[in-house]
Amino acid sequence: MTPAQTMSDQSAFSPGLANVPAAESSVCYLDGSIGKLQYRGYPIEVLSEKSSFEEVAFLLLFGHLPKRAELETFDRELRRARTIKFRIIDMLKLLPESGHPMDALSAAVAAMGMFYPGDHVHDPKFRRECAVRLVANLPTVVAAWERIRNGDDPIRARPDLGHAANFLYMLSGEEPEPLVARTMDVAMILHAEHQMNASTFSARVTGSALADPYAVVSAAVGTLSGPLHGGANEEVLKMLRTIPDNKASTIRAWAEDRLARKEKISGFGHREYKVKDPRATILQKLSQRVFEKYGNTPIYDIATELERQMAELVGSKGIYPNVDFYSGILYEKMGIATDLFTPIFAIARVSGWLAHLLEQLQNNRIFRPSQVWTGQADREFVALDRR
Ligand code: ACO
């Protein structure tokens, strides 16, 4: 410890900022000890059953459930804002099709800021326009990228379809069946917000420097892409595919081996939850409804057995399925490419990022944490030929 470093610096340090409040917030309440999750005070179970993604996005952004006229206006604004600039499409065409869609999304969103300059801090109208445009445009960018990398032209948005149904339509050119559209709608509600997670923190940090909202969302997309965060949904499916069958003995041996090697099992564990993530419970029920109609998948049986085995092996440590565990299985059944799972997460989470950005800007102070110094001080410079 250097003389300048005090004991209080040391005791204040929390790796990963665990249990360190980074903001005062009224966007999302979370009690991970009992699996309680609420957006603006409304339980996730109720919102996922009774509302639409559009309604939840409004709730997150503006703090209250919209009245009918408010929702109609917001929905109309979203539908009008779905089209992206043709130069963004041109830019996507120049990116390598082997690249990850999260990188394409991050680049496209950052570039969007060049088309819509303005002073977002001092102009509430500009802030609202940015929020609407970003929520409306992310699905268009992801769908356009999917089409372009497969050698197809992007599909124009359908103004008569809701947010989730239109996204699925822009991906495939086919209008989704109501159950599929509603399933995507609910999946988006479940992913829309989750308190001070890494990407939201990233959004707040970037926003606190008064960067424009496109830079904020681009930064958050980059953070979400990591396999310890949103990227886990893609990893789950890749991981489950390596398990040869759904026999309890096979899965037990596979999990024990991985845990013995201290390897993380994707889709399990959470900094906040010490019980099963309530979103995983809802997603699992949703999957079952889809499987009842369209047939089961072997990978789902492997997943449920892995959940059982993990409960026995590490349940006592509070390691249970998180939101990423069942989402990929569901998306795969809907015919969606594995590397689009995390972009779908981003399409939903953008509403939460923006809600936090608006909140941050209300009472902003730039993030500038301190550190615990571990280097050497006052070193003597030695000339190059004497080292
Ligand atoms: N598999 C096996 N062991 C685990 C797992 C897991 N998935 N998650 C945590 N653990 C163990 C750790 O090995 C560690 O054990 P130890 O105390 O014996 O060393 C203990 O639980 C604590 O783990 P940390 O990684 O320190 O917990 P942290 O809160 O820092 O990390 C995280 C949380 C990143 C989510 C972690 O659980 C993880 O890596 N999970 C797998 C990736 C994943 O699913 N991420 C998605 C999270 S949800 C989301 O972002 C949308």
Side-chain angles (χ1 to χ4, degrees):
M1 200 184 297
T2 66
Q5 187 186 320
T6 64
M7 284 309 290
S8 67
D9 286 336
Q10 281 287 0
S11 60
F13 176 54
S14 171
L17 299 184
N19 299 318
V20 177
E24 290 182 326
S25 182
S26 63
V27 182
C28 179
Y29 176 80
L30 170 54
D31 180 347
S33 65
I34 52 168
K36 184 169 171 176
L37 173 62
Q38 303 192 336
Y39 297 167
R40 301 281 190 192
Y42 296 97
I44 192 66
E45 291 80 6
V46 176
L47 291 172
S48 62
E49 197 190 321
K50 301 197 168 164
S51 63
S52 64
F53 174 77
E54 290 88 327
E55 202 173 358
V56 166
F58 184 101
L59 170 69
L60 290 169
L61 289 170
F62 307 116
H64 64 275
L65 279 174
K67 292 188 195 311
R68 185 173 296 280
E70 287 176 313
L71 182 59
E72 281 170 8
T73 305
F74 182 61
D75 190 27
R76 214 173 20 250
E77 286 174 321
L78 284 175
R79 286 172 200 243
R80 277 202 202 119
R82 281 177 184 162
T83 310
I84 52 178
K85 296 280 183 189
F86 76 82
R87 286 198 179 162
I88 297 290
I89 304 261
D90 288 351
M91 191 189 112
L92 292 175
K93 285 182 183 163
L94 296 175
L95 299 177
E97 61 253 27
S98 56
H100 198 282
M102 284 297 272
D103 295 331
L105 181 61
S106 180
V109 172
M112 275 170 63
M114 300 172 77
F115 291 98
Y116 309 105
D119 184 350
H120 68 285
V121 177
H122 302 296
D123 183 357
K125 185 166 168 282
F126 178 79
R127 287 207 296 255
R128 183 183 168 110
E129 279 170 9
C130 285
V132 167
R133 191 178 293 119
L134 280 158
V135 173
N137 274 182
L138 258 63
T140 313
V141 172
V142 172
W145 170 252
E146 172 66 356
R147 303 283 305 172
I148 289 166
R149 71 172 171 170
N150 287 307
D152 299 316
D153 277 327
I155 295 172
R156 284 188 79 79
R158 280 249 315 257
D160 59 315
L161 295 177
H163 194 74
N166 176 61
F167 168 61
L168 292 170
Y169 168 75
M170 288 189 299
L171 275 181
S172 68
E174 283 169 30
E175 187 176 333
E177 289 187 31
L179 174 65
V180 175
R182 176 61 185 156
T183 301
M184 179 55 77
D185 190 38
V186 176
M188 285 186 181
I189 292 171
L190 296 175
H191 287 86
E193 162 58 13
H194 208 236
Q195 211 221 33
M196 200 55 67
N197 56 86
S199 57
T200 300
F201 181 50
S202 175
R204 286 191 86 126
V205 170
T206 310
S208 79
L210 306 185
D212 80 69
Y214 303 92
V216 168
V217 170
S218 178
V221 170
T223 309
L224 186 70
S225 70
L228 292 186
H229 192 10
N233 57 12
E234 186 179 330
E235 293 303 318
V236 169
L237 213 70
K238 287 186 196 155
M239 175 190 84
L240 292 174
R241 286 189 189 123
T242 67
I243 303 178
D245 60 64
N246 65 8
K247 282 196 216 110
S249 54
T250 309
I251 293 174
R252 177 73 166 213
W254 179 91
E256 281 176 345
D257 174 57
R258 197 147 163 157
L259 291 171
R261 285 189 279 118
K262 296 252 167 235
E263 270 181 45
K264 292 276 182 67
I265 299 188
S266 300
F268 284 86
H270 200 281
R271 174 69 58 78
E272 295 295 323
Y273 291 116
K274 298 304 159 217
V275 296
K276 185 169 174 176
D277 183 333
R279 300 166 301 170
T281 306
I282 301 170
L283 274 169
Q284 191 176 5
K285 282 193 199 129
L286 266 183
S287 313
Q288 282 161 354
R289 238 178 283 158
V290 170
F291 294 150
E292 268 163 33
K293 178 146 188 199
Y294 300 103
N296 209 343
T297 68
I299 214 119
Y300 179 69
D301 297 333
I302 292 176
T304 50
E305 185 55 39
L306 179 59
E307 181 180 346
R308 257 191 300 277
Q309 295 299 334
M310 285 288 281
E312 287 180 22
L313 290 167
V314 289
S316 59
K317 288 173 78 177
I319 299 171
Y320 287 96
N322 59 48
V323 69
D324 290 324
F325 192 56
Y326 286 107
S327 59
I329 298 169
L330 182 60
Y331 297 152
E332 188 190 46
K333 187 69 189 169
M334 293 162 82
I336 294 170
T338 310
D339 61 1
L340 291 186
F341 299 170
T342 318
I344 292 173
F345 194 152
I347 286 173
R349 182 58 59 85
V350 68
S351 53
W353 293 330
L354 290 163
H356 280 270
L357 172 65
L358 297 181
E359 187 176 67
Q360 179 67 33
L361 292 175
Q362 268 169 19
N363 196 11
N364 187 50
R365 190 173 187 201
I366 190 166
F367 277 94
R368 206 309 182 184
S370 60
Q371 63 173 13
V372 174
W373 171 249
T374 60
Q376 299 176 41
D378 304 327
R379 299 174 79 183
E380 191 186 339
F381 182 85
V382 179
L384 187 58
D385 57 1
R386 289 201 289 116
R387 278 175 226 161

